[in-house]
Amino acid sequence: MKKKSRESLRDIANRIPKQSLCEIETSLRSLLDEWTIIFSDGCLSFPMDEVPDLVIPLTTIYGTLKTKDAFYIICHNRVLHHFDHIRHLHQVTFLDDAQDDIL
């Protein structure tokens, strides 16, 4: 799978529904099994090599979307996390310059 363009990521972000904390926790279960992600104290923590961990409080997550080959997390600050199942890559995109209202 090739890298997605900013425009296609905006389209995906627009399809992600607002979810409750319970819905977010439920959708993240499959992601935790596949990726090295720790769920503790209401936060997702992504252990990194030789740099501080990336931490996302669940309260900052707007919603999630799972597709056949990817998993997406959009946060209230327009940061989109894209987890590629095929290449096993985690990409972070800031969609602040979007002309359409994502949230």
Side-chain angles (χ1 to χ4, degrees):
M1 184 169 105
K2 65 180 183 172
K3 184 176 177 180
K4 294 191 181 302
S5 71
R6 184 174 292 274
E7 188 60 35
S8 66
L9 290 174
R10 281 188 196 123
D11 291 341
I12 290 166
N14 283 326
R15 292 192 340 225
I16 298 175
K18 180 164 178 52
Q19 295 175 311
S20 69
L21 282 177
C22 183
E23 291 170 319
I24 291 168
E25 286 182 31
T26 300
S27 67
L28 292 173
R29 296 281 179 227
S30 65
L31 188 67
L32 299 176
D33 293 338
E34 181 179 351
W35 297 77
T36 307
I37 300 172
I38 300 164
F39 179 59
S40 177
D41 298 325
C43 294
L44 294 179
S45 178
F46 301 82
M48 306 289 208
D49 296 331
E50 300 182 28
V51 294
D53 293 349
L54 170 64
V55 177
I56 304 173
L58 290 187
T59 56
T60 65
I61 297 175
Y62 177 84
T64 64
L65 178 68
K66 184 177 182 179
T67 65
K68 182 178 82 171
D69 58 352
F71 190 90
Y72 302 91
I73 298 173
I74 184 79
C75 296
H76 291 286
N77 64 353
R78 297 182 179 268
V79 171
L80 180 69
H81 295 266
H82 170 213
F83 298 87
D84 185 319
H85 294 303
I86 296 170
R87 294 185 299 164
H88 209 265
L89 293 174
H90 173 207
Q91 175 184 354
V92 179
T93 305
F94 187 59
L95 299 173
D96 187 48
D97 64 345
Q99 294 179 9
D100 298 326
D101 187 20
I102 292 173
L103 304 179

